[in-house]
Amino acid sequence: MIPATFDYVRPGSLDEACQALASDEDAKALAGGQSLLPLLRLRLAYPSTLVDLGRLPELTGVHDRGDHVFIGAMTTHDEVMRSSLVNSACPLVALTTATVADPAVRHRGTFGGSLAHADPAADLPAVVLALDGVLVARSAEGEREIPAAEFFVDYLESALRPGEILLGARIPKLGDGWGHHYEKFHRTAQAWPIVGVAVAVRRSNGAIQEARIGLTNMGPTPLRAHAVETALQGAELGDQVRQACEQAAADTSPSGDLHAQPDYRRHLARVLTHRAIRAAAGSP
């Protein structure tokens, strides 16, 4: 299908980009285009103007900021997964990014584009949520910080305001003693996950002291499995972990479609959470 007619703008500065988006409430920012272009072809999106961010080098790169890593919004998935800084300081981000779609998509798709698109079936939103990341946005009025817990508002809807551009995300460094894993179930490598689970756990003396768990495709937004996180405190690997994971689907509202019904997604959430925790904790 041929997309509807739209204007195209390629600004040379952040200020120009913010002005272009602010002057047209139906304008859309174009990053890697891996999520937006399919919507245009299917006529599921009708932007009047596409604002191409490809000439804004200040939106790219991975930067060490002391207690956190800042990943620019236009940094490609491939650049993120290959970054030595991300692999050492935020390994869960690198592990998850390496599972996104296929190499062709990872070379074009961007870290910030995936977050701003706010698709609950995307892999990265749940990871940034689990790690308590902070999204940084810029408009003509200046910059503002948006905690990940407040950024994802509804299906394909983020907290970005008209005229705002996502600059990137601040990902806290968890430090030593943490294990990480991302587990997902999908039909093919290129397909959206039916369910995904991002896990970071810290163990001490054989027991789990702290856990961070993000769920992919278990509701209209990415979710934290708070009930499991609480139940895992002080738990030893084995029956205690298995019992804690029975709460993985608590307070979720998964949708049903041709690939999976809600009950099946709840079942997958419990199974995949258990697998991810065991893998993150180093259990065979």
Side-chain angles (χ1 to χ4, degrees):
M1 186 178 293
I2 300 175
T5 302
F6 56 83
D7 293 327
Y8 174 81
V9 177
R10 195 173 191 186
S13 70
L14 269 175
D15 288 339
E16 290 179 12
C18 291
Q19 291 171 2
L21 288 170
S23 63
D24 184 352
E25 64 179 11
D26 294 322
K28 286 279 189 182
L30 175 65
Q34 300 304 291
S35 297
L36 179 58
L37 293 183
L39 294 182
L40 295 179
R41 286 197 297 267
L42 294 172
R43 295 209 175 191
L44 296 176
Y46 299 85
S48 54
T49 304
L50 286 187
V51 181
D52 190 342
L53 307 181
R55 286 183 178 170
L56 306 179
E58 56 265 62
L59 296 181
T60 64
V62 178
H63 310 279
D64 192 337
R65 300 285 173 81
D67 62 347
H68 69 272
V69 173
F70 185 82
I71 303 176
M74 290 292 289
T75 309
T76 66
H77 299 313
D78 185 72
E79 291 168 335
V80 171
M81 64 177 273
R82 295 180 185 276
S83 165
S84 59
L85 176 58
V86 175
N87 276 276
S88 61
C90 309
L92 182 58
V93 175
L95 286 170
T96 305
T97 305
T99 75
V100 172
D102 55 31
V105 170
R106 291 194 291 269
H107 275 81
R108 289 292 304 170
T110 63
F111 185 79
S114 178
L115 300 178
H117 188 56
D119 192 327
D123 300 291
L124 292 173
V127 175
V128 175
L129 180 65
L131 296 177
D132 291 325
V134 176
L135 291 301
V136 182
R138 164 85 175 273
S139 70
E141 284 71 42
E143 293 185 12
R144 72 181 180 113
E145 299 178 356
I146 313 168
E150 301 173 9
F151 185 79
F152 305 103
V153 177
D154 204 342
Y155 181 72
L156 300 184
E157 181 181 349
S158 75
L160 289 174
R161 299 167 181 166
E164 277 190 327
I165 291 174
L166 182 64
L167 299 183
R170 295 175 179 170
I171 310 297
K173 298 178 182 178
L174 295 183
D176 297 332
W178 287 83
H180 311 82
H181 189 70
Y182 184 68
E183 187 83 18
K184 67 179 177 180
F185 184 82
H186 51 170
R187 295 174 294 110
T188 65
Q190 297 86 357
W192 298 106
I194 293 176
V195 173
V197 182
V199 169
V201 296
R202 180 172 59 85
R203 293 179 68 192
S204 178
N205 298 321
I208 295 175
Q209 302 301 317
E210 186 178 356
R212 310 278 189 87
I213 304 172
L215 301 176
T216 294
N217 216 4
M218 286 297 291
T221 66
L223 300 170
R224 283 285 288 269
H226 290 295
V228 181
E229 293 176 352
T230 300
L232 285 174
Q233 293 178 5
E236 297 183 357
L237 294 180
D239 289 340
Q240 286 181 306
V241 170
R242 186 176 292 103
Q243 291 170 6
C245 293
E246 289 300 309
Q247 303 181 62
D251 300 320
T252 65
S253 54
S255 62
D257 54 33
L258 291 174
H259 308 299
Q261 292 305 304
D263 285 348
Y264 183 53
R265 282 196 164 93
R266 294 187 184 98
H267 167 72
L268 282 176
R270 293 188 286 267
V271 172
L272 298 181
T273 299
H274 187 225
R275 289 181 186 174
I277 291 170
R278 288 174 58 86
S283 176

